[in-house]
Amino acid sequence: MLTIVLIDDDPISTFITEKLISRNVKEPCQFFKYHSARAALQEIYSIKPNYLFLDINMPEMTGWDFLDIFNSDQNEAQIYILSSSVDERDINKASGYSIVKDYFSKPLIKKYIKSIFN
């Protein structure tokens, strides 16, 4: 079973992402959803997800803050940024994090899902 963490303060976006992944990935998936990056950080190491989808523009703790604190030595999750921002500066900043596999704009589409999970 694939373990997937979704970190996004927008519940509609989280719902859509979960449904799209569930419908387009053949393996069974278990989802952990967080509206707060801070809350996710407290549990992420015990969950040990295969995949982590992270929004960057969130209150309290941004996705960037999460990436700065996240210890990839304790977790082998494939991290993807999923953001509504199409700002070139955000895309370039994401590429500066070696633990970030890719940057996708919302909503996640079937083509992206196939490239991530195949």
Side-chain angles (χ1 to χ4, degrees), residues 74-117:
Q74 294 181 27
N75 199 305
E76 296 181 13
Q78 292 188 39
I79 300 175
Y80 294 88
I81 292 180
L82 186 58
S83 178
S84 52
S85 171
V86 290
D87 189 326
E88 200 65 39
R89 291 172 295 188
D90 286 334
I91 296 166
N92 290 334
K93 184 172 183 176
S95 66
Y97 287 90
S98 61
I99 59 173
V100 174
K101 296 284 185 193
D102 211 338
Y103 185 108
F104 297 113
S105 57
K106 291 180 186 176
L108 198 59
I109 59 172
K110 202 182 276 193
K111 180 175 96 175
Y112 298 157
I113 293 170
K114 288 186 187 307
S115 73
I116 292 167
F117 292 95

Side-chain angles (χ1 to χ4, degrees), residues 54-68:
L54 178 66
D55 186 21
I56 51 174
N57 296 316
M58 295 181 285
E60 186 187 324
M61 176 185 264
T62 69
W64 305 126
D65 297 333
F66 176 91
L67 290 168
D68 289 337

Side-chain angles (χ1 to χ4, degrees), residues 10-84:
D10 178 2
I12 294 168
S13 178
T14 301
F15 176 81
I16 291 169
T17 301
E18 179 182 3
K19 293 302 171 205
L20 283 167
I21 291 171
S22 295
R23 289 187 181 140
N24 292 287
V25 174
K26 291 181 179 32
E27 280 188 70
C29 299
Q30 180 179 21
F31 291 90
F32 293 87
K33 296 166 279 206
Y34 296 93
H35 300 293
S36 156
R38 190 174 310 284
L41 264 176
Q42 293 174 355
E43 299 178 12
I44 197 81
Y45 301 109
S46 61
I47 294 171
K48 296 188 183 344
N50 303 100
Y51 298 92
L52 190 154
F53 293 87
L54 178 66
D55 186 21
I56 51 174
N57 296 316
M58 295 181 285
E60 186 187 324
M61 176 185 264
T62 69
W64 305 126
D65 297 333
F66 176 91
L67 290 168
D68 289 337
I69 296 169
F70 181 75
N71 185 344
S72 60
D73 294 338
Q74 294 181 27
N75 199 305
E76 296 181 13
Q78 292 188 39
I79 300 175
Y80 294 88
I81 292 180
L82 186 58
S83 178
S84 52

